[in-house]
Amino acid sequence: MTRQDYQLGNAVSKTTEAMTLWKTEKGIIDISNDTLAIPVKLDDEEKGYVLHGKGKLLLDAIVETEEGAIGKPVEKELNEPFLMLGNTEEIRERLTEASEEDLAKMGYESQQGFIARAEDLCDPFFRGRIHSCRCFDGDRGLVFAFPNEDNELDILVAKGSKLVYKAMDIMFVSNNDKVVLKSPDEMICKGNGKSVIIKRDKTVIIRK
């Protein structure tokens, strides 16, 4: 099924064990056993999966400053389908065919029901400015897209120590000791031994 330069596989699989999809000192993404999975192909090459099961995203989005700790941890239950690009080989090795019972447990009457939900997730992602499917290369890291309460997508991009997380009310960018955090109340930039904090009332605090 072709939509906006991507293709979904025709068969739905499930994970044979619980898995950690991403883990660094900044956060972790886990999924449970029996998570449904369908491959996503770009230019006829498998680049990722749409996954639906039970999982969790934990992200340390706290920045320590001379003014104290700013920000708060992100904790998101992954109970809706989400997209993952990259790391396909490790997932593929832990998949087996999903049965009608497996589909029913997640609320689907057939494989087509899950494929339709996967298309609803992938269409806005590949159609929008979030991602250019022509330039994505799984060797460049991982990309996750999670639906949120506003029917939009929270995005996490990670490669090694580099991390970008953009959600409804937060943007968090981290690369080793360099951090940018933007929230409705303030924005902080920290790196090279100093930090700059901009409050909502336009107050600027600079610390070295």
Side-chain angles (χ1 to χ4, degrees), residues 79-150:
N79 298 323
E80 298 293 329
F82 68 92
L83 173 66
M84 174 183 176
L85 297 176
N87 200 26
T88 56
E89 186 172 331
E90 182 177 348
I91 295 178
R92 191 185 309 118
E93 292 174 351
R94 292 168 173 80
L95 293 179
T96 189
E97 182 180 355
S99 67
E100 291 184 2
E101 182 180 356
D102 295 320
L103 290 159
K105 285 180 181 178
M106 299 309 301
Y108 301 108
E109 294 183 359
S110 65
Q111 291 199 50
Q112 186 56 45
F114 180 48
I115 292 172
R117 287 287 301 276
E119 288 180 341
D120 289 342
L121 174 67
C122 290
D123 278 354
F125 179 84
F126 290 105
R127 183 174 62 233
R129 292 179 295 175
I130 297 171
H131 170 73
S132 172
C133 60
R134 291 184 177 87
C135 70
F136 177 78
D137 184 341
D139 294 336
R140 296 181 183 177
L142 300 171
V143 179
F144 296 89
F146 311 100
N148 60 37
E149 297 172 0
D150 287 348

Side-chain angles (χ1 to χ4, degrees), residues 9-113:
N10 296 316
V12 179
S13 302
K14 69 172 184 177
T15 57
T16 57
E17 59 186 89
M19 294 180 60
T20 297
L21 302 178
W22 167 74
K23 183 178 181 180
T24 70
E25 63 179 10
K26 286 296 183 183
I28 187 170
I29 297 175
D30 286 328
I31 56 172
S32 66
N33 185 27
D34 293 334
T35 293
L36 300 179
I38 190 165
V40 178
K41 296 181 179 181
L42 304 176
D43 295 328
D44 295 322
E45 185 176 348
E46 191 173 293
K47 291 293 188 179
Y49 288 89
V50 174
L51 301 161
H52 188 189
K54 295 181 188 254
K56 182 172 286 189
L57 160 67
L58 296 175
L59 178 65
D60 179 7
I62 298 174
V63 183
E64 298 291 342
T65 73
E66 295 293 332
E67 304 297 313
I70 297 177
K72 59 183 180 180
V74 175
E75 184 171 342
K76 185 179 180 72
E77 296 292 333
L78 305 179
N79 298 323
E80 298 293 329
F82 68 92
L83 173 66
M84 174 183 176
L85 297 176
N87 200 26
T88 56
E89 186 172 331
E90 182 177 348
I91 295 178
R92 191 185 309 118
E93 292 174 351
R94 292 168 173 80
L95 293 179
T96 189
E97 182 180 355
S99 67
E100 291 184 2
E101 182 180 356
D102 295 320
L103 290 159
K105 285 180 181 178
M106 299 309 301
Y108 301 108
E109 294 183 359
S110 65
Q111 291 199 50
Q112 186 56 45

Side-chain angles (χ1 to χ4, degrees), residues 63-65 177-180 188-196:
V63 183
E64 298 291 342
T65 73
D177 61 343
K178 297 179 181 178
V179 180
V180 176
I188 174 170
C189 300
K190 181 180 178 181
N192 299 322
K194 63 181 180 181
S195 60
V196 178

